[in-house]
Amino acid sequence: MKKGLVYSAAILAIGSIFAKFVGVFLKVPLINLVGDYGIGLYQLPYPIYTTILTFSMTGFSLAIQ
């Protein structure tokens, strides 16, 4: 059975909303556990991580081979 584009987009949207809720429910206890200073240290390498993740997901490794 062939599914349409709207069905596939709805599945992706539901999955992304679910992932956001899971992230919130995991981050709130982490904030309470480690405090402001700990969250500051947790957020410090985040821009570097997202940059590396972006390059790895866009096929940068294939382009430099």
Side-chain angles (χ1 to χ4, degrees):
M1 179 167 34
K2 188 175 179 180
K3 303 291 183 186
L5 178 66
V6 175
Y7 177 77
S8 300
I11 294 294
L12 285 174
I14 291 169
S16 101
I17 291 169
F18 178 72
K20 293 287 182 182
F21 278 123
V22 169
V24 167
F25 289 126
L26 292 177
K27 198 166 190 178
V28 169
L30 178 67
I31 291 170
N32 291 333
L33 184 67
V34 297
D36 291 336
Y37 184 74
I39 285 297
L41 292 176
Y42 175 78
Q43 292 289 334
L44 189 64
Y46 190 73
I48 298 167
Y49 166 72
T50 55
T51 304
I52 293 170
L53 183 65
T54 301
F55 281 130
S56 68
M57 295 298 287
T58 57
F60 183 70
S61 62
L62 291 176
I64 61 171
Q65 286 184 353

PDB file of all heavy atoms in Angstrom, residues 14-50:
ATOM      1  N   ILE A  14       4.731  14.372  14.034  1.00  0.00           N
ATOM      2  CA  ILE A  14       4.400  13.740  15.315  1.00  0.00           C
ATOM      3  C   ILE A  14       5.672  13.266  16.010  1.00  0.00           C
ATOM      4  O   ILE A  14       5.839  13.438  17.220  1.00  0.00           O
ATOM      5  CB  ILE A  14       3.398  12.592  15.106  1.00  0.00           C
ATOM      6  CG1 ILE A  14       2.042  13.157  14.696  1.00  0.00           C
ATOM      7  CG2 ILE A  14       3.270  11.731  16.358  1.00  0.00           C
ATOM      8  CD1 ILE A  14       1.065  12.113  14.202  1.00  0.00           C
ATOM      9  N   GLY A  15       6.581  12.695  15.241  1.00  0.00           N
ATOM     10  CA  GLY A  15       7.847  12.242  15.817  1.00  0.00           C
ATOM     11  C   GLY A  15       8.678  13.382  16.372  1.00  0.00           C
ATOM     12  O   GLY A  15       9.283  13.259  17.441  1.00  0.00           O
ATOM     13  N   SER A  16       8.704  14.496  15.681  1.00  0.00           N
ATOM     14  CA  SER A  16       9.487  15.630  16.167  1.00  0.00           C
ATOM     15  C   SER A  16       8.858  16.250  17.411  1.00  0.00           C
ATOM     16  O   SER A  16       9.563  16.654  18.331  1.00  0.00           O
ATOM     17  CB  SER A  16       9.672  16.653  15.061  1.00  0.00           C
ATOM     18  OG  SER A  16       8.836  17.729  15.165  1.00  0.00           O
ATOM     19  N   ILE A  17       7.542  16.325  17.463  1.00  0.00           N
ATOM     20  CA  ILE A  17       6.861  16.830  18.665  1.00  0.00           C
ATOM     21  C   ILE A  17       7.121  15.910  19.847  1.00  0.00           C
ATOM     22  O   ILE A  17       7.400  16.367  20.959  1.00  0.00           O
ATOM     23  CB  ILE A  17       5.352  16.999  18.398  1.00  0.00           C
ATOM     24  CG1 ILE A  17       5.123  18.146  17.417  1.00  0.00           C
ATOM     25  CG2 ILE A  17       4.577  17.248  19.690  1.00  0.00           C
ATOM     26  CD1 ILE A  17       3.709  18.236  16.887  1.00  0.00           C
ATOM     27  N   PHE A  18       7.069  14.611  19.623  1.00  0.00           N
ATOM     28  CA  PHE A  18       7.364  13.643  20.681  1.00  0.00           C
ATOM     29  C   PHE A  18       8.798  13.806  21.179  1.00  0.00           C
ATOM     30  O   PHE A  18       9.058  13.765  22.385  1.00  0.00           O
ATOM     31  CB  PHE A  18       7.112  12.219  20.175  1.00  0.00           C
ATOM     32  CG  PHE A  18       7.427  11.163  21.176  1.00  0.00           C
ATOM     33  CD1 PHE A  18       6.613  10.964  22.276  1.00  0.00           C
ATOM     34  CD2 PHE A  18       8.551  10.362  21.033  1.00  0.00           C
ATOM     35  CE1 PHE A  18       6.899   9.990  23.209  1.00  0.00           C
ATOM     36  CE2 PHE A  18       8.854   9.382  21.957  1.00  0.00           C
ATOM     37  CZ  PHE A  18       8.019   9.207  23.053  1.00  0.00           C
ATOM     38  N   ALA A  19       9.745  13.991  20.265  1.00  0.00           N
ATOM     39  CA  ALA A  19      11.147  14.166  20.651  1.00  0.00           C
ATOM     40  C   ALA A  19      11.339  15.428  21.486  1.00  0.00           C
ATOM     41  O   ALA A  19      12.131  15.435  22.442  1.00  0.00           O
ATOM     42  CB  ALA A  19      12.029  14.203  19.408  1.00  0.00           C
ATOM     43  N   LYS A  20      10.624  16.502  21.148  1.00  0.00           N
ATOM     44  CA  LYS A  20      10.713  17.739  21.936  1.00  0.00           C
ATOM     45  C   LYS A  20      10.182  17.525  23.354  1.00  0.00           C
ATOM     46  O   LYS A  20      10.779  18.008  24.316  1.00  0.00           O
ATOM     47  CB  LYS A  20       9.933  18.865  21.265  1.00  0.00           C
ATOM     48  CG  LYS A  20      10.494  19.316  19.971  1.00  0.00           C
ATOM     49  CD  LYS A  20      11.758  20.099  20.180  1.00  0.00           C
ATOM     50  CE  LYS A  20      12.276  20.581  18.833  1.00  0.00           C
ATOM     51  NZ  LYS A  20      13.523  21.295  18.954  1.00  0.00           N
ATOM     52  N   PHE A  21       9.063  16.813  23.485  1.00  0.00           N
ATOM     53  CA  PHE A  21       8.519  16.543  24.813  1.00  0.00           C
ATOM     54  C   PHE A  21       9.465  15.681  25.637  1.00  0.00           C
ATOM     55  O   PHE A  21       9.668  15.937  26.822  1.00  0.00           O
ATOM     56  CB  PHE A  21       7.152  15.864  24.720  1.00  0.00           C
ATOM     57  CG  PHE A  21       6.024  16.815  24.493  1.00  0.00           C
ATOM     58  CD1 PHE A  21       5.191  16.664  23.404  1.00  0.00           C
ATOM     59  CD2 PHE A  21       5.785  17.866  25.355  1.00  0.00           C
ATOM     60  CE1 PHE A  21       4.144  17.540  23.182  1.00  0.00           C
ATOM     61  CE2 PHE A  21       4.746  18.751  25.145  1.00  0.00           C
ATOM     62  CZ  PHE A  21       3.923  18.588  24.046  1.00  0.00           C
ATOM     63  N   VAL A  22      10.064  14.677  25.028  1.00  0.00           N
ATOM     64  CA  VAL A  22      11.014  13.826  25.751  1.00  0.00           C
ATOM     65  C   VAL A  22      12.206  14.657  26.194  1.00  0.00           C
ATOM     66  O   VAL A  22      12.689  14.510  27.322  1.00  0.00           O
ATOM     67  CB  VAL A  22      11.440  12.632  24.873  1.00  0.00           C
ATOM     68  CG1 VAL A  22      12.617  11.898  25.476  1.00  0.00           C
ATOM     69  CG2 VAL A  22      10.281  11.683  24.673  1.00  0.00           C
ATOM     70  N   GLY A  23      12.682  15.557  25.326  1.00  0.00           N
ATOM     71  CA  GLY A  23      13.798  16.419  25.689  1.00  0.00           C
ATOM     72  C   GLY A  23      13.477  17.318  26.866  1.00  0.00           C
ATOM     73  O   GLY A  23      14.314  17.523  27.747  1.00  0.00           O
ATOM     74  N   VAL A  24      12.268  17.855  26.902  1.00  0.00           N
ATOM     75  CA  VAL A  24      11.870  18.718  28.020  1.00  0.00           C
ATOM     76  C   VAL A  24      11.801  17.914  29.314  1.00  0.00           C
ATOM     77  O   VAL A  24      12.290  18.357  30.354  1.00  0.00           O
ATOM     78  CB  VAL A  24      10.517  19.399  27.729  1.00  0.00           C
ATOM     79  CG1 VAL A  24       9.932  20.025  28.974  1.00  0.00           C
ATOM     80  CG2 VAL A  24      10.686  20.441  26.649  1.00  0.00           C
ATOM     81  N   PHE A  25      11.224  16.737  29.248  1.00  0.00           N
ATOM     82  CA  PHE A  25      11.078  15.936  30.463  1.00  0.00           C
ATOM     83  C   PHE A  25      12.409  15.394  30.968  1.00  0.00           C
ATOM     84  O   PHE A  25      12.528  15.050  32.138  1.00  0.00           O
ATOM     85  CB  PHE A  25      10.087  14.797  30.246  1.00  0.00           C
ATOM     86  CG  PHE A  25       8.669  15.261  30.127  1.00  0.00           C
ATOM     87  CD1 PHE A  25       7.901  14.900  29.042  1.00  0.00           C
ATOM     88  CD2 PHE A  25       8.101  16.079  31.082  1.00  0.00           C
ATOM     89  CE1 PHE A  25       6.588  15.328  28.919  1.00  0.00           C
ATOM     90  CE2 PHE A  25       6.801  16.522  30.976  1.00  0.00           C
ATOM     91  CZ  PHE A  25       6.042  16.146  29.888  1.00  0.00           C
ATOM     92  N   LEU A  26      13.413  15.340  30.128  1.00  0.00           N
ATOM     93  CA  LEU A  26      14.732  14.924  30.589  1.00  0.00           C
ATOM     94  C   LEU A  26      15.562  16.107  31.060  1.00  0.00           C
ATOM     95  O   LEU A  26      16.404  15.959  31.941  1.00  0.00           O
ATOM     96  CB  LEU A  26      15.470  14.180  29.474  1.00  0.00           C
ATOM     97  CG  LEU A  26      14.901  12.825  29.090  1.00  0.00           C
ATOM     98  CD1 LEU A  26      15.684  12.231  27.924  1.00  0.00           C
ATOM     99  CD2 LEU A  26      14.929  11.874  30.262  1.00  0.00           C
ATOM    100  N   LYS A  27      15.344  17.283  30.475  1.00  0.00           N
ATOM    101  CA  LYS A  27      16.168  18.435  30.827  1.00  0.00           C
ATOM    102  C   LYS A  27      15.746  19.090  32.139  1.00  0.00           C
ATOM    103  O   LYS A  27      16.601  19.581  32.876  1.00  0.00           O
ATOM    104  CB  LYS A  27      16.119  19.465  29.700  1.00  0.00           C
ATOM    105  CG  LYS A  27      17.238  20.454  29.773  1.00  0.00           C
ATOM    106  CD  LYS A  27      17.362  21.222  28.482  1.00  0.00           C
ATOM    107  CE  LYS A  27      18.633  22.016  28.491  1.00  0.00           C
ATOM    108  NZ  LYS A  27      18.837  22.734  27.253  1.00  0.00           N
ATOM    109  N   VAL A  28      14.480  19.096  32.456  1.00  0.00           N
ATOM    110  CA  VAL A  28      14.008  19.723  33.696  1.00  0.00           C
ATOM    111  C   VAL A  28      14.599  19.030  34.925  1.00  0.00           C
ATOM    112  O   VAL A  28      15.136  19.714  35.806  1.00  0.00           O
ATOM    113  CB  VAL A  28      12.467  19.774  33.739  1.00  0.00           C
ATOM    114  CG1 VAL A  28      11.974  20.175  35.109  1.00  0.00           C
ATOM    115  CG2 VAL A  28      11.944  20.733  32.683  1.00  0.00           C
ATOM    116  N   PRO A  29      14.579  17.706  35.037  1.00  0.00           N
ATOM    117  CA  PRO A  29      15.247  17.088  36.191  1.00  0.00           C
ATOM    118  C   PRO A  29      16.756  17.320  36.201  1.00  0.00           C
ATOM    119  O   PRO A  29      17.363  17.454  37.256  1.00  0.00           O
ATOM    120  CB  PRO A  29      14.940  15.602  36.053  1.00  0.00           C
ATOM    121  CG  PRO A  29      13.756  15.527  35.183  1.00  0.00           C
ATOM    122  CD  PRO A  29      13.828  16.708  34.280  1.00  0.00           C
ATOM    123  N   LEU A  30      17.366  17.394  35.016  1.00  0.00           N
ATOM    124  CA  LEU A  30      18.800  17.671  34.950  1.00  0.00           C
ATOM    125  C   LEU A  30      19.106  19.056  35.506  1.00  0.00           C
ATOM    126  O   LEU A  30      20.075  19.225  36.258  1.00  0.00           O
ATOM    127  CB  LEU A  30      19.297  17.561  33.510  1.00  0.00           C
ATOM    128  CG  LEU A  30      20.768  17.880  33.281  1.00  0.00           C
ATOM    129  CD1 LEU A  30      21.639  16.826  33.955  1.00  0.00           C
ATOM    130  CD2 LEU A  30      21.073  17.951  31.811  1.00  0.00           C
ATOM    131  N   ILE A  31      18.284  20.041  35.170  1.00  0.00           N
ATOM    132  CA  ILE A  31      18.478  21.398  35.693  1.00  0.00           C
ATOM    133  C   ILE A  31      18.350  21.396  37.214  1.00  0.00           C
ATOM    134  O   ILE A  31      19.148  22.027  37.919  1.00  0.00           O
ATOM    135  CB  ILE A  31      17.478  22.378  35.050  1.00  0.00           C
ATOM    136  CG1 ILE A  31      17.810  22.572  33.575  1.00  0.00           C
ATOM    137  CG2 ILE A  31      17.470  23.720  35.771  1.00  0.00           C
ATOM    138  CD1 ILE A  31      16.750  23.325  32.805  1.00  0.00           C
ATOM    139  N   ASN A  32      17.367  20.692  37.734  1.00  0.00           N
ATOM    140  CA  ASN A  32      17.181  20.624  39.181  1.00  0.00           C
ATOM    141  C   ASN A  32      18.328  19.885  39.859  1.00  0.00           C
ATOM    142  O   ASN A  32      18.686  20.192  40.998  1.00  0.00           O
ATOM    143  CB  ASN A  32      15.861  19.952  39.521  1.00  0.00           C
ATOM    144  CG  ASN A  32      14.678  20.796  39.137  1.00  0.00           C
ATOM    145  OD1 ASN A  32      14.766  22.021  39.082  1.00  0.00           O
ATOM    146  ND2 ASN A  32      13.565  20.150  38.846  1.00  0.00           N
ATOM    147  N   LEU A  33      18.908  18.922  39.186  1.00  0.00           N
ATOM    148  CA  LEU A  33      19.975  18.105  39.766  1.00  0.00           C
ATOM    149  C   LEU A  33      21.308  18.832  39.799  1.00  0.00           C
ATOM    150  O   LEU A  33      21.994  18.840  40.829  1.00  0.00           O
ATOM    151  CB  LEU A  33      20.110  16.792  38.978  1.00  0.00           C
ATOM    152  CG  LEU A  33      21.099  15.780  39.503  1.00  0.00           C
ATOM    153  CD1 LEU A  33      20.632  15.239  40.843  1.00  0.00           C
ATOM    154  CD2 LEU A  33      21.247  14.648  38.509  1.00  0.00           C
ATOM    155  N   VAL A  34      21.702  19.474  38.698  1.00  0.00           N
ATOM    156  CA  VAL A  34      23.042  20.063  38.632  1.00  0.00           C
ATOM    157  C   VAL A  34      23.071  21.561  38.908  1.00  0.00           C
ATOM    158  O   VAL A  34      24.141  22.116  39.133  1.00  0.00           O
ATOM    159  CB  VAL A  34      23.714  19.773  37.273  1.00  0.00           C
ATOM    160  CG1 VAL A  34      23.914  18.301  37.085  1.00  0.00           C
ATOM    161  CG2 VAL A  34      22.956  20.373  36.130  1.00  0.00           C
ATOM    162  N   GLY A  35      21.943  22.226  38.874  1.00  0.00           N
ATOM    163  CA  GLY A  35      21.890  23.654  39.190  1.00  0.00           C
ATOM    164  C   GLY A  35      22.321  24.539  38.037  1.00  0.00           C
ATOM    165  O   GLY A  35      22.586  24.087  36.924  1.00  0.00           O
ATOM    166  N   ASP A  36      22.411  25.840  38.331  1.00  0.00           N
ATOM    167  CA  ASP A  36      22.733  26.822  37.296  1.00  0.00           C
ATOM    168  C   ASP A  36      24.147  26.656  36.762  1.00  0.00           C
ATOM    169  O   ASP A  36      24.380  26.742  35.557  1.00  0.00           O
ATOM    170  CB  ASP A  36      22.560  28.243  37.845  1.00  0.00           C
ATOM    171  CG  ASP A  36      21.118  28.594  38.118  1.00  0.00           C
ATOM    172  OD1 ASP A  36      20.241  27.967  37.497  1.00  0.00           O
ATOM    173  OD2 ASP A  36      20.874  29.479  38.962  1.00  0.00           O
ATOM    174  N   TYR A  37      25.091  26.440  37.648  1.00  0.00           N
ATOM    175  CA  TYR A  37      26.485  26.297  37.216  1.00  0.00           C
ATOM    176  C   TYR A  37      26.666  25.051  36.354  1.00  0.00           C
ATOM    177  O   TYR A  37      27.344  25.091  35.329  1.00  0.00           O
ATOM    178  CB  TYR A  37      27.401  26.227  38.446  1.00  0.00           C
ATOM    179  CG  TYR A  37      28.860  26.178  38.080  1.00  0.00           C
ATOM    180  CD1 TYR A  37      29.511  27.314  37.614  1.00  0.00           C
ATOM    181  CD2 TYR A  37      29.582  25.000  38.210  1.00  0.00           C
ATOM    182  CE1 TYR A  37      30.849  27.274  37.275  1.00  0.00           C
ATOM    183  CE2 TYR A  37      30.916  24.949  37.873  1.00  0.00           C
ATOM    184  CZ  TYR A  37      31.552  26.091  37.407  1.00  0.00           C
ATOM    185  OH  TYR A  37      32.878  26.038  37.065  1.00  0.00           O
ATOM    186  N   GLY A  38      26.041  23.963  36.741  1.00  0.00           N
ATOM    187  CA  GLY A  38      26.132  22.727  35.962  1.00  0.00           C
ATOM    188  C   GLY A  38      25.509  22.855  34.594  1.00  0.00           C
ATOM    189  O   GLY A  38      26.036  22.355  33.602  1.00  0.00           O
ATOM    190  N   ILE A  39      24.370  23.542  34.498  1.00  0.00           N
ATOM    191  CA  ILE A  39      23.735  23.754  33.198  1.00  0.00           C
ATOM    192  C   ILE A  39      24.600  24.671  32.339  1.00  0.00           C
ATOM    193  O   ILE A  39      24.693  24.491  31.117  1.00  0.00           O
ATOM    194  CB  ILE A  39      22.311  24.323  33.373  1.00  0.00           C
ATOM    195  CG1 ILE A  39      21.383  23.205  33.829  1.00  0.00           C
ATOM    196  CG2 ILE A  39      21.781  24.962  32.112  1.00  0.00           C
ATOM    197  CD1 ILE A  39      21.231  22.070  32.836  1.00  0.00           C
ATOM    198  N   GLY A  40      25.270  25.632  32.952  1.00  0.00           N
ATOM    199  CA  GLY A  40      26.194  26.479  32.204  1.00  0.00           C
ATOM    200  C   GLY A  40      27.315  25.667  31.587  1.00  0.00           C
ATOM    201  O   GLY A  40      27.687  25.864  30.432  1.00  0.00           O
ATOM    202  N   LEU A  41      27.857  24.731  32.354  1.00  0.00           N
ATOM    203  CA  LEU A  41      28.907  23.851  31.824  1.00  0.00           C
ATOM    204  C   LEU A  41      28.351  22.898  30.774  1.00  0.00           C
ATOM    205  O   LEU A  41      29.039  22.551  29.814  1.00  0.00           O
ATOM    206  CB  LEU A  41      29.551  23.052  32.957  1.00  0.00           C
ATOM    207  CG  LEU A  41      30.375  23.858  33.949  1.00  0.00           C
ATOM    208  CD1 LEU A  41      30.871  22.949  35.064  1.00  0.00           C
ATOM    209  CD2 LEU A  41      31.528  24.553  33.261  1.00  0.00           C
ATOM    210  N   TYR A  42      27.120  22.472  30.945  1.00  0.00           N
ATOM    211  CA  TYR A  42      26.462  21.576  29.987  1.00  0.00           C
ATOM    212  C   TYR A  42      26.237  22.286  28.658  1.00  0.00           C
ATOM    213  O   TYR A  42      26.406  21.691  27.591  1.00  0.00           O
ATOM    214  CB  TYR A  42      25.140  21.104  30.587  1.00  0.00           C
ATOM    215  CG  TYR A  42      24.289  20.259  29.683  1.00  0.00           C
ATOM    216  CD1 TYR A  42      24.587  18.914  29.480  1.00  0.00           C
ATOM    217  CD2 TYR A  42      23.171  20.789  29.046  1.00  0.00           C
ATOM    218  CE1 TYR A  42      23.799  18.125  28.650  1.00  0.00           C
ATOM    219  CE2 TYR A  42      22.384  20.014  28.221  1.00  0.00           C
ATOM    220  CZ  TYR A  42      22.702  18.684  28.037  1.00  0.00           C
ATOM    221  OH  TYR A  42      21.918  17.917  27.220  1.00  0.00           O
ATOM    222  N   GLN A  43      25.872  23.569  28.702  1.00  0.00           N
ATOM    223  CA  GLN A  43      25.575  24.326  27.494  1.00  0.00           C
ATOM    224  C   GLN A  43      26.825  24.887  26.820  1.00  0.00           C
ATOM    225  O   GLN A  43      26.765  25.316  25.671  1.00  0.00           O
ATOM    226  CB  GLN A  43      24.631  25.491  27.817  1.00  0.00           C
ATOM    227  CG  GLN A  43      23.250  25.056  28.220  1.00  0.00           C
ATOM    228  CD  GLN A  43      22.463  24.489  27.053  1.00  0.00           C
ATOM    229  OE1 GLN A  43      22.706  24.820  25.902  1.00  0.00           O
ATOM    230  NE2 GLN A  43      21.522  23.623  27.351  1.00  0.00           N
ATOM    231  N   LEU A  44      27.956  24.891  27.492  1.00  0.00           N
ATOM    232  CA  LEU A  44      29.172  25.478  26.952  1.00  0.00           C
ATOM    233  C   LEU A  44      29.632  24.827  25.643  1.00  0.00           C
ATOM    234  O   LEU A  44      29.896  25.539  24.669  1.00  0.00           O
ATOM    235  CB  LEU A  44      30.277  25.414  28.008  1.00  0.00           C
ATOM    236  CG  LEU A  44      31.559  26.168  27.723  1.00  0.00           C
ATOM    237  CD1 LEU A  44      31.283  27.658  27.644  1.00  0.00           C
ATOM    238  CD2 LEU A  44      32.566  25.890  28.827  1.00  0.00           C
ATOM    239  N   PRO A  45      29.731  23.503  25.535  1.00  0.00           N
ATOM    240  CA  PRO A  45      30.200  22.923  24.264  1.00  0.00           C
ATOM    241  C   PRO A  45      29.095  22.706  23.231  1.00  0.00           C
ATOM    242  O   PRO A  45      29.361  22.180  22.149  1.00  0.00           O
ATOM    243  CB  PRO A  45      30.790  21.581  24.698  1.00  0.00           C
ATOM    244  CG  PRO A  45      30.000  21.205  25.893  1.00  0.00           C
ATOM    245  CD  PRO A  45      29.697  22.509  26.592  1.00  0.00           C
ATOM    246  N   TYR A  46      27.873  23.101  23.512  1.00  0.00           N
ATOM    247  CA  TYR A  46      26.749  22.826  22.620  1.00  0.00           C
ATOM    248  C   TYR A  46      26.920  23.423  21.221  1.00  0.00           C
ATOM    249  O   TYR A  46      26.632  22.735  20.237  1.00  0.00           O
ATOM    250  CB  TYR A  46      25.446  23.284  23.271  1.00  0.00           C
ATOM    251  CG  TYR A  46      24.224  22.822  22.529  1.00  0.00           C
ATOM    252  CD1 TYR A  46      23.831  21.489  22.579  1.00  0.00           C
ATOM    253  CD2 TYR A  46      23.470  23.699  21.771  1.00  0.00           C
ATOM    254  CE1 TYR A  46      22.719  21.050  21.898  1.00  0.00           C
ATOM    255  CE2 TYR A  46      22.359  23.268  21.084  1.00  0.00           C
ATOM    256  CZ  TYR A  46      21.986  21.949  21.154  1.00  0.00           C
ATOM    257  OH  TYR A  46      20.893  21.513  20.463  1.00  0.00           O
ATOM    258  N   PRO A  47      27.374  24.673  21.066  1.00  0.00           N
ATOM    259  CA  PRO A  47      27.559  25.196  19.694  1.00  0.00           C
ATOM    260  C   PRO A  47      28.588  24.402  18.890  1.00  0.00           C
ATOM    261  O   PRO A  47      28.414  24.188  17.691  1.00  0.00           O
ATOM    262  CB  PRO A  47      28.027  26.632  19.911  1.00  0.00           C
ATOM    263  CG  PRO A  47      27.575  26.991  21.267  1.00  0.00           C
ATOM    264  CD  PRO A  47      27.576  25.722  22.056  1.00  0.00           C
ATOM    265  N   ILE A  48      29.639  23.954  19.537  1.00  0.00           N
ATOM    266  CA  ILE A  48      30.649  23.138  18.851  1.00  0.00           C
ATOM    267  C   ILE A  48      30.040  21.805  18.433  1.00  0.00           C
ATOM    268  O   ILE A  48      30.244  21.339  17.308  1.00  0.00           O
ATOM    269  CB  ILE A  48      31.873  22.932  19.758  1.00  0.00           C
ATOM    270  CG1 ILE A  48      32.512  24.276  20.075  1.00  0.00           C
ATOM    271  CG2 ILE A  48      32.884  21.987  19.117  1.00  0.00           C
ATOM    272  CD1 ILE A  48      33.528  24.233  21.183  1.00  0.00           C
ATOM    273  N   TYR A  49      29.273  21.205  19.329  1.00  0.00           N
ATOM    274  CA  TYR A  49      28.628  19.928  19.027  1.00  0.00           C
ATOM    275  C   TYR A  49      27.663  20.053  17.848  1.00  0.00           C
ATOM    276  O   TYR A  49      27.668  19.211  16.945  1.00  0.00           O
ATOM    277  CB  TYR A  49      27.888  19.422  20.260  1.00  0.00           C
ATOM    278  CG  TYR A  49      26.916  18.309  19.989  1.00  0.00           C
ATOM    279  CD1 TYR A  49      27.370  17.027  19.691  1.00  0.00           C
ATOM    280  CD2 TYR A  49      25.545  18.533  20.000  1.00  0.00           C
ATOM    281  CE1 TYR A  49      26.489  16.004  19.421  1.00  0.00           C
ATOM    282  CE2 TYR A  49      24.655  17.523  19.730  1.00  0.00           C
ATOM    283  CZ  TYR A  49      25.133  16.255  19.446  1.00  0.00           C
ATOM    284  OH  TYR A  49      24.249  15.252  19.171  1.00  0.00           O
ATOM    285  N   THR A  50      26.852  21.102  17.824  1.00  0.00           N
ATOM    286  CA  THR A  50      25.891  21.249  16.733  1.00  0.00           C
ATOM    287  C   THR A  50      26.583  21.517  15.405  1.00  0.00           C
ATOM    288  O   THR A  50      26.119  21.067  14.363  1.00  0.00           O
ATOM    289  CB  THR A  50      24.868  22.358  17.028  1.00  0.00           C
ATOM    290  OG1 THR A  50      25.564  23.577  17.305  1.00  0.00           O
ATOM    291  CG2 THR A  50      23.970  21.991  18.182  1.00  0.00           C
TER     292      THR A  50
END
